[in-house]
């Protein structure tokens, strides 16, 4: 019952109470030790007083009585030898004083006798003193009455004996008192030593008790603090669901409650942060970071498939319909993907219109079903504000671990697959096709490329651009080919991106500019009117030497600038828009024509293009393809033509492959067309031959030209 109460107290008492209790107990303990010591010394000193004071006093008085009695006797003896009465008178006085002092001492003794056990002894001494006093008086009287000889005889026979008896007895008493005193001192010493021991024992016990108390109290404080520390450590380790103890004592309960609140807010904040770090806010899908982490884990666990998905022609949708609609399209795609990708598989949004799907444990055979499901889900038209919108996507499919040693290789190959799918107008492509290019050949390519320039392995092909009003060839686009000694003819798609990555393009482009301008000058002197177009990559455009290369070559060849056109992709403009813009302006001032290449493949809007000093826009092949059949493409090309006309931009349709495409473009008043249907890129001699027969009308495309 009581122990229960103590236990409850120990559990509930506040730290303040515990400390107060501990300190007061320690204080009490030390106080009691001091009190005991003080009391013992008090007792000791009283008993010492009792034991020592009386014997000393008695011995002193006895000795004093002796001394004065003896002195009086000596005076008496001197008196007995002094015959002259006149001399004796002086001695009487002294003698009387000595006797009075002796009397006083004996009186003192008698008074002290009341308090001692030596009453009888003292009474005996008093008697002896009285006897001595009487005999002394008798001797003195005899001197004056009968003369000195009688008095002397009386003294020797009686008084001297009485004095001796008195002295003996007094000495005995004094001796006895000394012995008593010695005994008292001995007793005192014993008692003092006992007291010393007692105090030592009490002090030691107090010390022991105090330390135990301190230990208990500090344990009772440290243990709950340890509990709180353990809780804080679990929070630090990120374990937010462990039970938090109630806590001992009010302060610890408050502290632990505060820790619980802190843990709750940390947990919420962490959730929010990781949401921000891992979730795409527009679609609520996992973002790139999250996806890459999952992919890394999945790769370490086994095999699977990775699908990269890119929305076709997303930029024009965004431009034409606005970003709000663009965002809704992306959200709709996300929710459709979410519906057909079931856990443990995962769908994520990697970037603007790029999504990725991870199928763990899925191989190529099993992937077909998933791919079809995704394409079917996205193929259904979307209804946004009553507007019907058809969306196309391209998929790049790779399998791990087969298609890439690391995540970068895997993603790069998936990216190449997407590009291939778009190029071929397939809905998907497998990354495995690109193995050779990606992995082995690029390594040796840089070394090879350096030699290629010196060995004249780069060949310039020219593709004609047809004026859709006159039907004549208005210009040519210079397209590079690499005639590799062992690998044969390599298409620019396979080495230009690499030359751009490695910076080698900065050596190729000046050479190309020189060659093309020289050729254009030759055409002019042969009265062949062709605007020559050159493709300029991002690195070239940012190169401060580009303007000088162009102007010098033009000067050397004495070619007016208007016969040269530089084609720039929007991605090249995006890398450093300010610098690109300033270079574009300088170039435009020289009179060189500037053209925006692959319009629609990226994200540039016409509103942006309008701000640039360009005179031509080339609509990307993807929109021109089947423009006569696909409502979507037709709408985009038509609106682009309309806008460009307003902006005063000449429009070139790229990738015209059929007669009906060409016809559609003509009907819709596109300015120029370029494509396999008109003429493929070809080497210089072939171009000349082709132009001769073209203008002779032999191989001219079968289209109705407007008159
Ligand atoms: P680009 O500037 O868009 O060039 C047009 C590409 O479309 C050429 O591919 C051409 O062969 C192809 N093409 C033309 N008509 C048709 C058609 O009717 N159907 C199809 N399917 N394709 C058609 P090419 O020559 O393989 O060049 C690919 C890309 O390589 C070029 O795209 C350009 O970006 C780059 N490139 C080529 N030569 C150079 C160069 O000298 N310098 C730079 N920086 N890039 C170059
Ligand atoms: Ca081009
Ligand atoms: Ca192009």
């Amino acid at each position: 019952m009581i122990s229960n109460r103590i236990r409850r107290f120990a559990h509930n008492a506040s730290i303040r109470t515990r400390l107060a209790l501990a300190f007061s107990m320690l204080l009490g303990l030390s106080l009691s030790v001091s009190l005991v010591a003080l009391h013992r010394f008090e007792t000791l000193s009283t008993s010492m007083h009792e034991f020592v004071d009386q014997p000393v006093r008695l011995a002193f008085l006895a000795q004093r009585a002796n001394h004065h009695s003896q002195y009086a006797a000596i005076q008496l003896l001197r008196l007995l030898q002094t015959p002259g009465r006149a001399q004796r008178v002086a001695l009487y006085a002294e003698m009387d004083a000595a006797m009075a002092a002796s009397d006083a001492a004996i009186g003192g003794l008698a008074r002290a006798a009341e308090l001692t056990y030596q009453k009888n002894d003292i009474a005996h001494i008093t008697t002896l003193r009285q006897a001595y006093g009487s005999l002394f008086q008798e001797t003195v009287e005899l001197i004056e009455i009968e003369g000195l000889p009688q008095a002397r005889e009386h003294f020797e026979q009686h008084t001297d004996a009485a004095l001796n008896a008195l002295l003996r007895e007094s000495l005995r008493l004094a001796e006895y008192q000394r012995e008593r005193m010695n005994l008292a001192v001995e007793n005192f010493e014993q008692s003092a030593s006992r007291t010393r021991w007692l105090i030592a024992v009490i002090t030691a016990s107090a010390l022991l008790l105090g330390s135990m108390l301190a230990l208990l109290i500090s344990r009772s404080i440290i243990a709950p603090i340890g509990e709180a520390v353990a809780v804080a450590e679990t929070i630090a380790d990120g374990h937010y669901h462990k039970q938090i103890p109630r806590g001992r004592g009010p302060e610890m309960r408050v502290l632990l409650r505060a820790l619980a609140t802190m843990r709750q807010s940390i947990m919420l904040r962490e959730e929010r942060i990781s949401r921000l770090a891992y979730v795409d806010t527009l679609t609520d899908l996992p973002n790139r970071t999250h996806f890459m982490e999952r992919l890394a884990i999945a790769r370490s666990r086994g095999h699977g498939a990775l699908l990269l998905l890119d929305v076709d022609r997303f930029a024009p949708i965004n431009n034409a319909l606005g970003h709000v609609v663009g965002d809704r399209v992306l959200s709709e795609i996300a929710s459709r993907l979410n519906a057909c990708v079931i856990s443990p598989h995962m769908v994520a949004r990697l970037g603007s219109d790029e999504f990725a799907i991870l199928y763990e444990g899925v191989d190529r055979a099993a992937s077909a079903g998933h791919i079809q499901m995704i394409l079917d889900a996205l193929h259904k038209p979307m209804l946004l504000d009553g507007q019907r919108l058809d969306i196309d996507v391209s998929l790049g499919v790779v399998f791990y671990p087969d298609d890439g040693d690391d995540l970068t290789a895997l993603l790069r190959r998936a990216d190449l697959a997407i590009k291939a799918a778009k190029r071929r107008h397939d809905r998907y492509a497998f990354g495995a096709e690109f193995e050779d290019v990606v992995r082995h050949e690029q390594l040796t390519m840089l070394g090879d490329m350096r030699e290629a320039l010196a060995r004249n392995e780069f060949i310039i092909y020219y593709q004609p651009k047809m004026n859709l009003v006159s039907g004549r060839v208005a210009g040519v686009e210079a397209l590079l080919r690499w005639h590799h000694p062992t690998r044969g003819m390599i298409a620019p798609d396979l080495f230009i991106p690499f030359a751009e990555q490695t910076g080698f393009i900065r050596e190729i482009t000046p050479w190309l500019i020189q060659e093309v301008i020289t050729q254009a000058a030759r055409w002019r002197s042969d009265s062949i009117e062709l605007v020559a177009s050159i493709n300029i990559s991002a690195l070239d455009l940012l190169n401060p030497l580009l303007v000088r290369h162009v102007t010098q070559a033009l000067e050397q060849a004495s070619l007016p600038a208007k016969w040269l056109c530089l084609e720039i992709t929007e991605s090249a403009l995006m890398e450093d828009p300010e610098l690109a813009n300033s270079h574009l302006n300088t170039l435009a001032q020289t009179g060189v024509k500037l053209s925006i290449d692959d319009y629609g493949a990226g994200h540039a809007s016409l509103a942006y293009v309008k701000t640039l000093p360009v005179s031509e826009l080339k609509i990307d092949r993807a929109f021109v393809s089947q423009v006569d059949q696909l409502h979507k493409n037709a709408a985009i090309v038509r609106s682009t033509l309309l806008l460009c006309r307003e902006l005063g931009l000449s429009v070139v349709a790229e990738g015209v492959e059929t007669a009906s495409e060409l016809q559609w473009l003509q009907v819709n008043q596109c300015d120029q067309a370029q494509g396999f249907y008109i003429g493929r890129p070809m080497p210089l001699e072939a171009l000349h031959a082709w132009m001769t027969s073209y203008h002779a009308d032999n191989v001219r495309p079968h289209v109705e030209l407007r008159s």
Side-chain angles (χ1 to χ4, degrees):
M1 178 71 179
I2 291 173
S3 74
N4 261 356
R5 250 190 223 170
I6 293 176
R7 208 170 300 143
R8 216 174 314 135
F9 173 78
H11 203 271
N12 292 330
S14 69
I15 291 177
R16 188 206 298 214
T17 315
R18 278 164 220 241
L19 285 177
L21 199 75
F23 280 120
S24 38
M25 279 168 93
L26 284 173
L27 261 169
L29 219 65
S30 54
L31 207 71
S32 51
V33 170
S34 325
L35 281 178
V36 166
L38 272 175
H39 175 70
R40 288 300 302 180
F41 276 110
E42 191 66 29
T43 326
L44 265 180
S45 84
T46 325
S47 65
M48 173 82 177
H49 196 68
E50 260 172 30
F51 280 124
V52 176
D53 196 40
Q54 220 178 32
V56 167
R57 212 170 131 68
L58 287 180
F60 171 74
L61 287 170
Q63 253 172 348
R64 207 174 145 82
N66 263 2
H67 171 76
H68 290 296
S69 304
Q70 254 180 322
Y71 188 66
I74 291 165
Q75 298 307 320
L76 188 57
L77 278 177
R78 278 176 67 195
L79 202 74
L80 289 175
Q81 275 142 30
T82 311
R85 194 167 183 332
Q87 284 99 335
R88 281 207 300 269
V89 173
L91 287 172
Y92 276 130
E94 223 170 303
M95 202 176 63
D96 283 346
M99 273 314 260
S102 163
D103 260 347
I106 290 292
L109 259 185
R111 273 194 304 282
E114 298 297 313
L115 304 163
T116 84
Y117 305 110
Q118 274 87 40
K119 262 187 205 142
N120 291 340
D121 294 347
I122 292 169
H124 185 49
I125 289 175
T126 316
T127 318
L128 288 175
R129 171 64 181 76
Q130 274 167 4
Y132 168 63
S134 318
L135 288 170
F136 190 92
Q137 198 54 44
E138 277 173 23
T139 309
V140 172
E141 278 166 10
L142 279 176
I143 295 171
E144 297 305 326
I145 302 166
E146 297 196 19
L148 287 171
Q150 274 81 8
R152 212 175 282 143
E153 199 185 309
H154 182 265
F155 179 83
E156 278 161 8
Q157 280 175 3
H158 305 287
T159 313
D160 190 38
L163 174 67
N164 281 336
L166 174 66
L167 288 180
R168 227 179 9 255
E169 213 36 48
S170 303
L171 275 175
R172 216 173 55 81
L173 180 72
E175 197 56 36
Y176 175 69
Q177 291 310 326
R178 223 179 344 267
E179 268 170 31
R180 260 185 72 193
M181 210 167 64
N182 284 344
L183 199 73
V185 169
E186 223 168 84
N187 274 345
F188 175 78
E189 268 174 7
Q190 272 174 14
S191 177
S193 133
R194 268 203 307 280
T195 303
R196 251 197 315 275
W197 269 108
L198 187 69
I199 290 176
V201 167
I202 292 176
T203 312
S205 336
L207 223 74
L208 194 75
L209 209 70
S211 327
M212 265 162 62
L213 205 71
L215 194 79
L216 272 173
I217 293 292
S218 56
R219 273 240 307 260
S220 86
I221 292 171
I222 286 169
I225 290 180
E227 243 175 27
V229 169
V231 169
E233 276 170 351
T234 61
I235 296 176
D237 290 345
H239 302 304
Y240 299 136
H241 298 288
K242 281 216 175 115
Q243 174 98 33
I244 292 185
R246 256 191 81 237
R248 276 184 252 170
E251 293 100 335
M252 291 322 290
R253 275 198 280 278
V254 169
L255 177 64
L256 286 168
R257 264 204 305 277
L259 279 177
T261 316
M262 182 182 95
R263 183 174 78 171
Q264 187 65 19
S265 17
I266 289 179
M267 200 165 83
L268 289 176
R269 221 167 303 153
E270 216 167 72
E271 261 173 29
R272 221 169 30 234
I273 291 170
S274 83
R275 228 189 108 69
L276 285 175
Y278 281 116
V279 175
D280 170 56
T281 42
L282 174 68
T283 59
D284 262 355
L285 288 180
N287 64 8
R288 178 181 284 271
T289 313
H290 191 177
F291 186 78
M292 293 309 277
E293 280 178 14
R294 265 290 296 277
L295 182 60
I297 295 169
R299 253 190 105 259
S300 68
R301 278 207 292 242
H303 73 282
L306 163 67
L307 270 65
L308 270 196
L309 183 152
D310 192 274
V311 183
D312 294 343
R313 294 171 300 279
F314 181 69
I317 292 174
N318 235 350
N319 288 333
L321 305 176
H323 284 276
V324 179
V325 176
D327 285 354
R328 286 177 60 192
V329 168
L330 293 175
S331 299
E332 176 64 23
I333 292 174
S335 71
R336 288 187 188 187
L337 287 176
N338 236 346
C340 57
V341 178
I342 296 156
S343 174
H345 306 318
M346 179 198 201
V347 58
R349 180 176 174 222
L350 301 190
S352 68
D353 58 346
E354 202 181 20
F355 295 82
I357 303 145
L358 173 67
Y359 289 108
E360 276 194 67
V362 167
D363 57 14
R364 186 163 177 147
S367 72
H370 291 296
I371 293 171
Q372 198 50 52
M373 190 154 72
I374 283 173
L375 290 173
D376 288 348
L378 297 178
H379 190 63
K380 293 188 196 100
M382 288 181 191
L383 271 176
L384 299 175
D385 294 337
Q387 252 188 358
R388 197 186 128 121
L389 205 68
D390 288 299
I391 292 293
D392 277 335
V393 297
S394 305
L395 291 180
V397 187
V398 287
F399 300 94
Y400 60 86
D402 296 349
D403 288 342
D405 293 335
D406 52 42
L407 298 187
T408 330
L410 206 61
L411 283 168
R412 193 174 54 209
R413 199 174 294 177
D415 213 45
L416 285 172
I418 283 201
K419 290 206 175 99
K422 282 189 196 277
R423 209 171 35 239
R424 299 178 196 148
H425 299 286
D426 280 340
R427 299 174 78 188
Y428 63 91
F430 290 103
E433 294 175 40
F434 304 94
E435 178 154 40
D436 288 339
V437 182
V438 173
R439 231 190 263 164
H440 311 301
E441 298 192 353
Q442 281 202 346
L443 288 175
T444 49
M445 200 185 267
L446 184 62
D448 288 1
M449 229 161 19
R450 287 191 201 293
E451 299 189 354
L453 255 185
R455 292 201 212 133
N456 269 330
E457 285 169 15
F458 288 122
I459 300 165
I460 304 168
Y461 274 39
Y462 294 93
Q463 184 177 32
K465 283 159 109 178
M466 173 189 179
N467 182 319
L468 288 180
V469 181
S470 65
R472 295 189 66 82
V473 179
V476 287
E477 178 177 2
L479 293 160
L480 205 56
R481 301 286 180 269
W482 179 4
H483 193 258
H484 194 276
T486 56
R487 288 165 52 198
M489 200 63 90
I490 306 179
D493 277 344
L494 297 182
F495 69 90
I496 294 279
F498 186 69
E500 283 170 346
Q501 269 170 34
T502 54
F504 192 70
I505 193 79
R506 274 191 287 233
E507 293 180 42
I508 298 179
T509 308
W511 168 82
L512 189 87
I513 289 171
Q514 185 70 49
E515 293 288 308
V516 172
I517 288 179
T518 312
Q519 184 52 50
R522 262 188 226 127
W523 283 324
R524 226 175 87 73
S525 60
D526 293 347
S527 303
I528 303 172
E529 295 199 334
L530 284 178
V531 175
S533 292
I534 296 175
N535 290 291
I536 295 294
S537 69
L539 225 51
D540 298 320
L541 187 61
L542 301 179
N543 186 352
L545 297 176
L546 175 72
V547 181
R548 198 172 343 135
H549 287 149
V550 171
T551 46
Q552 272 179 359
L554 286 173
E555 258 170 50
Q556 266 176 24
S558 312
L559 181 73
K562 64 167 184 173
W563 296 106
L564 183 69
C565 175
L566 300 181
E567 294 186 6
I568 297 134
T569 58
E570 22 176 302
S571 54
L573 291 166
M574 290 308 155
E575 246 165 58
D576 183 348
E578 243 172 75
L579 188 63
N581 216 341
S582 106
H583 286 178
L584 277 191
N585 280 310
T586 333
L587 282 169
Q589 276 158 23
T590 65
V592 169
K593 280 205 174 97
L594 297 175
S595 170
I596 294 295
D597 205 356
D598 301 344
Y599 174 74
H603 302 268
S605 63
L606 269 178
Y608 170 62
V609 171
K610 192 171 74 177
T611 65
L612 304 169
V614 298
S615 55
E616 184 184 272
L617 191 93
K618 297 185 80 173
I619 301 184
D620 191 65
R621 195 160 73 233
F623 303 97
V624 176
S625 161
Q626 292 179 286
V627 72
D628 54 315
Q629 289 169 40
L630 293 177
H631 170 74
K632 221 168 18 187
N633 280 3
I636 289 167
V637 174
R638 209 179 278 127
S639 72
T640 308
L641 285 167
L642 220 74
L643 275 167
C644 285
R645 197 165 310 134
E646 270 178 36
L647 297 173
L649 288 174
S650 147
V651 179
V652 183
E654 289 189 305
V656 179
E657 291 183 343
T658 65
S660 37
E661 283 167 8
L662 188 66
Q663 190 155 22
W664 188 97
L665 289 165
Q666 257 181 333
V667 169
N668 286 280
Q669 300 176 16
C670 181
D671 302 287
Q672 292 185 23
Q674 180 182 351
F676 291 172
Y677 180 68
I678 300 158
R680 288 182 174 261
M682 46 201 133
L684 190 63
E685 305 78 47
L687 176 78
H688 288 157
W690 179 87
M691 283 215 291
T692 315
S693 58
Y694 177 87
H695 286 129
D697 228 10
N698 294 345
V699 291
R700 186 181 292 205
H702 302 286
V703 285
E704 298 292 318
L705 289 172
R706 273 174 288 153
S707 49

